[in-house]
PDB file of all heavy atoms in Angstrom:
ATOM      1  N   LEU A 246     137.646  93.970  12.783  1.00 64.00           N
ATOM      2  CA  LEU A 246     136.505  94.420  12.009  1.00 64.00           C
ATOM      3  C   LEU A 246     135.265  93.630  12.394  1.00 64.00           C
ATOM      4  O   LEU A 246     135.341  92.494  12.850  1.00 64.00           O
ATOM      5  CB  LEU A 246     136.788  94.245  10.507  1.00 64.00           C
ATOM      6  CG  LEU A 246     137.980  95.019   9.951  1.00 64.00           C
ATOM      7  CD1 LEU A 246     138.084  94.783   8.447  1.00 64.00           C
ATOM      8  CD2 LEU A 246     137.867  96.508  10.245  1.00 64.00           C
ATOM      9  N   ASN A 247     134.117  94.250  12.171  1.00 58.00           N
ATOM     10  CA  ASN A 247     132.841  93.597  12.473  1.00 58.00           C
ATOM     11  C   ASN A 247     132.448  92.710  11.291  1.00 58.00           C
ATOM     12  O   ASN A 247     131.865  93.162  10.317  1.00 58.00           O
ATOM     13  CB  ASN A 247     131.765  94.659  12.727  1.00 58.00           C
ATOM     14  CG  ASN A 247     130.423  94.021  13.068  1.00 58.00           C
ATOM     15  OD1 ASN A 247     130.320  92.811  13.205  1.00 58.00           O
ATOM     16  ND2 ASN A 247     129.400  94.853  13.194  1.00 58.00           N
ATOM     17  N   LEU A 248     132.798  91.442  11.370  1.00 49.00           N
ATOM     18  CA  LEU A 248     132.582  90.533  10.251  1.00 49.00           C
ATOM     19  C   LEU A 248     131.104  90.272   9.989  1.00 49.00           C
ATOM     20  O   LEU A 248     130.754  89.758   8.925  1.00 49.00           O
ATOM     21  CB  LEU A 248     133.305  89.208  10.513  1.00 49.00           C
ATOM     22  CG  LEU A 248     134.827  89.300  10.693  1.00 49.00           C
ATOM     23  CD1 LEU A 248     135.402  87.919  10.945  1.00 49.00           C
ATOM     24  CD2 LEU A 248     135.476  89.918   9.465  1.00 49.00           C
ATOM     25  N   THR A 249     130.219  90.635  10.910  1.00 49.00           N
ATOM     26  CA  THR A 249     128.795  90.391  10.693  1.00 49.00           C
ATOM     27  C   THR A 249     128.243  91.279   9.587  1.00 49.00           C
ATOM     28  O   THR A 249     127.159  91.027   9.069  1.00 49.00           O
ATOM     29  CB  THR A 249     127.998  90.641  11.990  1.00 49.00           C
ATOM     30  OG1 THR A 249     128.170  92.002  12.403  1.00 49.00           O
ATOM     31  CG2 THR A 249     128.457  89.715  13.091  1.00 49.00           C
ATOM     32  N   ASN A 250     128.965  92.346   9.220  1.00 60.00           N
ATOM     33  CA  ASN A 250     128.509  93.223   8.152  1.00 60.00           C
ATOM     34  C   ASN A 250     128.757  92.622   6.770  1.00 60.00           C
ATOM     35  O   ASN A 250     128.262  93.139   5.778  1.00 60.00           O
ATOM     36  CB  ASN A 250     129.232  94.579   8.218  1.00 60.00           C
ATOM     37  CG  ASN A 250     128.683  95.464   9.313  1.00 60.00           C
ATOM     38  OD1 ASN A 250     127.532  95.333   9.694  1.00 60.00           O
ATOM     39  ND2 ASN A 250     129.497  96.375   9.806  1.00 60.00           N
ATOM     40  N   TYR A 251     129.540  91.555   6.696  1.00 80.00           N
ATOM     41  CA  TYR A 251     130.012  91.084   5.404  1.00 80.00           C
ATOM     42  C   TYR A 251     128.991  90.168   4.738  1.00 80.00           C
ATOM     43  O   TYR A 251     128.147  89.565   5.382  1.00 80.00           O
ATOM     44  CB  TYR A 251     131.341  90.328   5.556  1.00 80.00           C
ATOM     45  CG  TYR A 251     132.500  91.186   6.010  1.00 80.00           C
ATOM     46  CD1 TYR A 251     132.302  92.494   6.424  1.00 80.00           C
ATOM     47  CD2 TYR A 251     133.787  90.680   6.023  1.00 80.00           C
ATOM     48  CE1 TYR A 251     133.358  93.272   6.843  1.00 80.00           C
ATOM     49  CE2 TYR A 251     134.858  91.448   6.443  1.00 80.00           C
ATOM     50  CZ  TYR A 251     134.637  92.745   6.863  1.00 80.00           C
ATOM     51  OH  TYR A 251     135.688  93.505   7.277  1.00 80.00           O
ATOM     52  N   HIS A 252     129.102  90.066   3.430  1.00 91.00           N
ATOM     53  CA  HIS A 252     128.296  89.141   2.650  1.00 91.00           C
ATOM     54  C   HIS A 252     129.237  88.129   2.000  1.00 91.00           C
ATOM     55  O   HIS A 252     130.460  88.240   2.077  1.00 91.00           O
ATOM     56  CB  HIS A 252     127.508  89.903   1.574  1.00 91.00           C
ATOM     57  CG  HIS A 252     128.384  90.749   0.690  1.00 91.00           C
ATOM     58  ND1 HIS A 252     129.195  90.220  -0.302  1.00 91.00           N
ATOM     59  CD2 HIS A 252     128.594  92.092   0.649  1.00 91.00           C
ATOM     60  CE1 HIS A 252     129.856  91.178  -0.902  1.00 91.00           C
ATOM     61  NE2 HIS A 252     129.528  92.329  -0.345  1.00 91.00           N
ATOM     62  N   ARG A 253     128.689  87.134   1.331  1.00 90.00           N
ATOM     63  CA  ARG A 253     129.506  86.162   0.605  1.00 90.00           C
ATOM     64  C   ARG A 253     130.166  86.834  -0.602  1.00 90.00           C
ATOM     65  O   ARG A 253     129.613  87.739  -1.218  1.00 90.00           O
ATOM     66  CB  ARG A 253     128.635  85.003   0.122  1.00 90.00           C
ATOM     67  CG  ARG A 253     128.152  84.071   1.200  1.00 90.00           C
ATOM     68  CD  ARG A 253     127.206  83.031   0.601  1.00 90.00           C
ATOM     69  NE  ARG A 253     127.759  82.423  -0.598  1.00 90.00           N
ATOM     70  CZ  ARG A 253     127.037  82.126  -1.686  1.00 90.00           C
ATOM     71  NH1 ARG A 253     125.758  82.435  -1.738  1.00 90.00           N
ATOM     72  NH2 ARG A 253     127.617  81.546  -2.730  1.00 90.00           N
ATOM     73  N   TRP A 254     131.344  86.349  -0.931  1.00 94.00           N
ATOM     74  CA  TRP A 254     132.054  86.850  -2.105  1.00 94.00           C
ATOM     75  C   TRP A 254     132.070  85.828  -3.236  1.00 94.00           C
ATOM     76  O   TRP A 254     132.312  86.196  -4.393  1.00 94.00           O
ATOM     77  CB  TRP A 254     133.498  87.215  -1.725  1.00 94.00           C
ATOM     78  CG  TRP A 254     133.551  88.363  -0.767  1.00 94.00           C
ATOM     79  CD1 TRP A 254     133.715  88.296   0.581  1.00 94.00           C
ATOM     80  CD2 TRP A 254     133.417  89.752  -1.076  1.00 94.00           C
ATOM     81  NE1 TRP A 254     133.686  89.561   1.136  1.00 94.00           N
ATOM     82  CE2 TRP A 254     133.511  90.474   0.141  1.00 94.00           C
ATOM     83  CE3 TRP A 254     133.226  90.465  -2.263  1.00 94.00           C
ATOM     84  CZ2 TRP A 254     133.421  91.858   0.204  1.00 94.00           C
ATOM     85  CZ3 TRP A 254     133.138  91.850  -2.210  1.00 94.00           C
ATOM     86  CH2 TRP A 254     133.235  92.534  -0.987  1.00 94.00           C
ATOM     87  N   ASP A 255     131.821  84.568  -2.935  1.00 93.00           N
ATOM     88  CA  ASP A 255     131.813  83.536  -3.974  1.00 93.00           C
ATOM     89  C   ASP A 255     130.412  83.454  -4.590  1.00 93.00           C
ATOM     90  O   ASP A 255     129.640  82.535  -4.339  1.00 93.00           O
ATOM     91  CB  ASP A 255     132.230  82.179  -3.397  1.00 93.00           C
ATOM     92  CG  ASP A 255     131.342  81.728  -2.239  1.00 93.00           C
ATOM     93  OD1 ASP A 255     130.744  82.600  -1.563  1.00 93.00           O
ATOM     94  OD2 ASP A 255     131.231  80.507  -2.023  1.00 93.00           O
ATOM     95  N   VAL A 256     130.092  84.468  -5.392  1.00 96.00           N
ATOM     96  CA  VAL A 256     128.759  84.601  -5.971  1.00 96.00           C
ATOM     97  C   VAL A 256     128.869  84.733  -7.488  1.00 96.00           C
ATOM     98  O   VAL A 256     129.941  85.014  -8.035  1.00 96.00           O
ATOM     99  CB  VAL A 256     128.029  85.832  -5.383  1.00 96.00           C
ATOM    100  CG1 VAL A 256     127.777  85.649  -3.894  1.00 96.00           C
ATOM    101  CG2 VAL A 256     128.816  87.116  -5.639  1.00 96.00           C
ATOM    102  N   THR A 257     127.750  84.556  -8.153  1.00 96.00           N
ATOM    103  CA  THR A 257     127.674  84.776  -9.590  1.00 96.00           C
ATOM    104  C   THR A 257     127.483  86.264  -9.865  1.00 96.00           C
ATOM    105  O   THR A 257     127.094  87.023  -8.961  1.00 96.00           O
ATOM    106  CB  THR A 257     126.495  84.011 -10.194  1.00 96.00           C
ATOM    107  OG1 THR A 257     125.274  84.576  -9.680  1.00 96.00           O
ATOM    108  CG2 THR A 257     126.570  82.528  -9.862  1.00 96.00           C
ATOM    109  N   PRO A 258     127.721  86.722 -11.091  1.00 96.00           N
ATOM    110  CA  PRO A 258     127.445  88.129 -11.412  1.00 96.00           C
ATOM    111  C   PRO A 258     126.000  88.530 -11.119  1.00 96.00           C
ATOM    112  O   PRO A 258     125.751  89.643 -10.645  1.00 96.00           O
ATOM    113  CB  PRO A 258     127.777  88.216 -12.900  1.00 96.00           C
ATOM    114  CG  PRO A 258     128.859  87.201 -13.090  1.00 96.00           C
ATOM    115  CD  PRO A 258     128.459  86.054 -12.201  1.00 96.00           C
ATOM    116  N   GLU A 259     125.053  87.646 -11.364  1.00 97.00           N
ATOM    117  CA  GLU A 259     123.653  87.969 -11.075  1.00 97.00           C
ATOM    118  C   GLU A 259     123.440  88.152  -9.571  1.00 97.00           C
ATOM    119  O   GLU A 259     122.747  89.080  -9.134  1.00 97.00           O
ATOM    120  CB  GLU A 259     122.734  86.862 -11.614  1.00 97.00           C
ATOM    121  CG  GLU A 259     122.675  86.757 -13.125  1.00 97.00           C
ATOM    122  CD  GLU A 259     123.930  86.171 -13.746  1.00 97.00           C
ATOM    123  OE1 GLU A 259     124.694  85.467 -13.022  1.00 97.00           O
ATOM    124  OE2 GLU A 259     124.169  86.419 -14.943  1.00 97.00           O
ATOM    125  N   GLU A 260     124.034  87.262  -8.782  1.00 97.00           N
ATOM    126  CA  GLU A 260     123.926  87.402  -7.327  1.00 97.00           C
ATOM    127  C   GLU A 260     124.642  88.660  -6.852  1.00 97.00           C
ATOM    128  O   GLU A 260     124.171  89.338  -5.920  1.00 97.00           O
ATOM    129  CB  GLU A 260     124.521  86.171  -6.646  1.00 97.00           C
ATOM    130  CG  GLU A 260     123.695  84.909  -6.832  1.00 97.00           C
ATOM    131  CD  GLU A 260     124.406  83.665  -6.337  1.00 97.00           C
ATOM    132  OE1 GLU A 260     125.655  83.595  -6.444  1.00 97.00           O
ATOM    133  OE2 GLU A 260     123.723  82.755  -5.826  1.00 97.00           O
ATOM    134  N   ALA A 261     125.764  89.004  -7.481  1.00 97.00           N
ATOM    135  CA  ALA A 261     126.509  90.201  -7.101  1.00 97.00           C
ATOM    136  C   ALA A 261     125.667  91.455  -7.332  1.00 97.00           C
ATOM    137  O   ALA A 261     125.665  92.372  -6.499  1.00 97.00           O
ATOM    138  CB  ALA A 261     127.814  90.281  -7.879  1.00 97.00           C
ATOM    139  N   ARG A 262     124.960  91.505  -8.453  1.00 97.00           N
ATOM    140  CA  ARG A 262     124.108  92.671  -8.715  1.00 97.00           C
ATOM    141  C   ARG A 262     122.997  92.787  -7.679  1.00 97.00           C
ATOM    142  O   ARG A 262     122.647  93.892  -7.245  1.00 97.00           O
ATOM    143  CB  ARG A 262     123.524  92.584 -10.124  1.00 97.00           C
ATOM    144  CG  ARG A 262     124.575  92.718 -11.231  1.00 97.00           C
ATOM    145  CD  ARG A 262     123.940  92.763 -12.616  1.00 97.00           C
ATOM    146  NE  ARG A 262     124.978  92.748 -13.640  1.00 97.00           N
ATOM    147  CZ  ARG A 262     125.391  91.644 -14.268  1.00 97.00           C
ATOM    148  NH1 ARG A 262     124.856  90.461 -13.959  1.00 97.00           N
ATOM    149  NH2 ARG A 262     126.337  91.721 -15.187  1.00 97.00           N
ATOM    150  N   ALA A 263     122.434  91.656  -7.272  1.00 97.00           N
ATOM    151  CA  ALA A 263     121.398  91.683  -6.240  1.00 97.00           C
ATOM    152  C   ALA A 263     121.968  92.175  -4.914  1.00 97.00           C
ATOM    153  O   ALA A 263     121.317  92.959  -4.191  1.00 97.00           O
ATOM    154  CB  ALA A 263     120.790  90.289  -6.071  1.00 97.00           C
TER     155      ALA A 263
END
Side-chain angles (χ1 to χ4, degrees):
L246 299 182
N247 181 5
L248 300 180
T249 60
N250 283 334
Y251 294 8
H252 55 75
R253 288 175 48 219
W254 294 99
D255 57 334
V256 295
T257 66
E259 292 73 21
E260 290 171 326
R262 293 186 186 96

